[in-house]
Amino acid sequence: MMTHDQYLATRRFAALDGVRAIAAVLVVFFHYGGPNWERANGWIGVHLFFVLSGFLITTLALREEARDGRISLAEFYIRRVFRILPVYYVVLGVVVVFAYFRGMGLRHSGILAALPWNAAFLGEFHQMIMFGQAWTLGVEQKFYLVWPLLAFGLGALGFVKRLSLAAGLVVLMFALISFLPYATSYSPILIGCALAIVLHHRKGFAALRVFTHPVAGLVVAAALITVQTTFGEISELLSDEHGVVTSTVYILLAALLVPSLVAGGPLAWVLSLRPMRFIGERSYSLYLMQGVIAVALAGAIPQFAPHRTLTAVAVTFVGLLAADLLYRWVEIPMIDVGRRIIARRRAKKTEPAEEVALVAA
């Protein structure tokens, strides 16, 4: 089993790219796979994305704080802006241009009305045709805005306070379900945050260390798949009308799977294979492009119009080709721009200190 020091020394969690790959493909098959894939409950892939987002963002922040004494909120937001926004707006533009030239009618199709909402990352309140899945990005953007301020921007919080903050926000999100239908979407992100806080703390890690064992990972993965494929039956058994309890069980299992994937083992090895990493690295663009790809395929080849396995495979394949272009020509270059801006900011901060040192000499 992994030790806490080994965990802190691990800089890249390659297996999590494989989880992203599975999550993205699940969502595509949920949308376009038809009745044969209903039992797969592919919509639940969104929960996997959310758990990983909360875990990774909070882990990076905690490690920066441990290294530098605090986190730079400015640098955090610069990284998020150049990671999320460029591809998002490129795909949003592709959707609008494609709809226009296809003669769908921007006003008649509702795209014009939904455009300001989606441009402002408020797609959960006004979804757009061929871009409806982007509501999840609205949820994540709000999380990115608020969570770092609460957890790191108000001074150094201890383990108990940060964990209590995450747990309290989860409870608040459940309490707001009646008023804000999308409130529960923040719960998996916050559970991912809580996991990061626990694993970063030595005693917290010790409490969850058993889950770093490869066998424990396989058991949790089996339970996760069971809940996913029997979601309806479990909800009915628990009289869980809206699936909130069952979803929470699934989210907790997804969080408990992460320690074994970070530690390594047979499952982590499979998820770290090059094809899995390839899809995982391009999962963001694939997720955004699926709608317009599906409409384009259905228009070009009528056999892909019905929702069935073949259609989902085609959307995934063509979507990955488009996602690879976006990854190479938009995502990576824009991430590099963000890094260069951060490097310049840091260089400017060191210049006055160097000048003072020279004067003193």
Side-chain angles (χ1 to χ4, degrees):
M1 291 190 292
M2 181 180 253
T3 66
H4 187 241
D5 289 335
Q6 288 173 329
Y7 168 72
L8 294 180
T10 304
R11 296 303 174 194
R12 175 162 173 74
F13 308 136
L16 299 189
D17 282 332
V19 179
R20 285 197 193 95
I22 291 172
V25 173
L26 276 173
V27 173
V28 173
F29 273 72
F30 167 67
H31 285 143
Y32 307 106
N36 291 335
W37 290 90
E38 285 181 359
R39 181 164 285 277
N41 292 303
W43 56 270
I44 217 163
V46 170
H47 288 333
L48 294 177
F49 276 124
F50 282 162
V51 170
L52 294 186
S53 290
F55 170 72
L56 291 170
I57 289 299
T58 306
T59 295
L60 290 173
L62 287 167
R63 292 185 177 188
E64 180 182 341
E65 183 183 64
R67 183 183 67 246
D68 302 334
R70 66 179 186 85
I71 77 160
S72 169
L73 289 176
E75 290 183 7
F76 171 85
Y77 290 124
I78 289 170
R79 284 192 294 267
R80 289 298 90 199
V81 163
F82 284 93
R83 172 69 180 89
I84 301 296
L85 269 60
V87 172
Y88 181 90
Y89 285 124
V90 166
V91 177
L92 180 60
V94 168
V95 170
V96 174
V97 171
F98 177 81
Y100 175 79
F101 282 105
R102 199 169 184 270
M104 297 176 69
L106 299 183
R107 189 178 299 277
H108 176 73
S109 64
I111 287 178
L112 204 59
L115 185 57
W117 293 84
N118 284 269
F121 284 91
L122 295 170
E124 67 267 41
F125 302 109
H126 202 142
Q127 293 186 13
M128 179 188 292
I129 185 173
M130 296 185 289
F131 204 59
Q133 71 279 8
W135 70 267
T136 61
L137 274 300
V139 169
E140 285 197 79
Q141 285 297 90
K142 296 176 193 65
F143 159 74
Y144 292 144
L145 285 173
V146 177
W147 172 251
L149 291 173
L150 294 178
F152 298 95
L154 302 177
L157 299 180
F159 167 70
V160 174
K161 287 184 178 179
R162 278 208 180 107
L163 187 58
S164 299
L165 173 64
L169 288 172
V170 170
V171 173
L172 176 62
M173 292 303 105
F174 281 119
L176 291 175
I177 292 175
S178 300
F179 308 98
L180 297 171
Y182 284 91
T184 52
S185 300
Y186 292 92
S187 298
I189 310 180
L190 290 164
I191 288 172
C193 296
L195 174 68
I197 293 167
V198 171
L199 291 180
H200 187 76
H201 190 263
R202 190 168 294 275
K203 290 184 178 179
F205 184 90
L208 293 183
R209 190 181 176 216
V210 64
F211 292 102
T212 66
H213 196 285
V215 174
L218 291 172
V219 171
V220 174
L224 192 74
I225 293 169
T226 300
V227 173
Q228 180 162 340
T229 54
T230 61
F231 191 95
E233 291 86 341
I234 294 174
S235 296
E236 186 176 350
L237 180 66
L238 298 176
S239 299
D240 184 20
E241 185 178 353
H242 299 292
V244 174
V245 175
T246 313
S247 293
T248 303
V249 171
Y250 181 88
I251 292 163
L252 290 172
L253 287 171
L256 292 176
L257 181 63
V258 170
S260 70
L261 300 182
V262 170
L267 183 58
W269 177 79
V270 170
L271 291 171
S272 301
L273 291 174
R274 190 171 179 179
M276 300 297 287
R277 294 203 314 271
F278 179 90
I279 299 172
E281 289 169 351
R282 292 150 182 80
S283 59
Y284 177 42
S285 293
L286 171 62
Y287 182 79
L288 289 177
M289 284 293 294
Q290 59 179 299
V292 69
I293 292 294
V295 174
L297 277 174
I301 306 173
Q303 288 86 343
F304 291 136
H307 288 186
R308 52 180 177 162
T309 302
L310 184 62
T311 301
V313 170
V315 171
T316 302
F317 179 76
V318 178
L320 277 173
L321 294 178
D324 185 55
L325 291 175
L326 289 170
Y327 180 74
R328 294 173 186 272
W329 294 99
V330 181
E331 288 191 61
I332 295 301
M334 289 297 100
I335 289 172
D336 287 341
V337 169
R339 287 173 178 165
R340 288 197 295 271
I341 292 173
I342 290 172
R344 285 199 295 269
R345 290 185 78 257
R346 291 178 179 176
K348 287 181 180 179
K349 287 181 180 179
T350 59
E351 284 174 4
E354 291 173 354
E355 290 173 3
V356 169
L358 287 171
V359 170

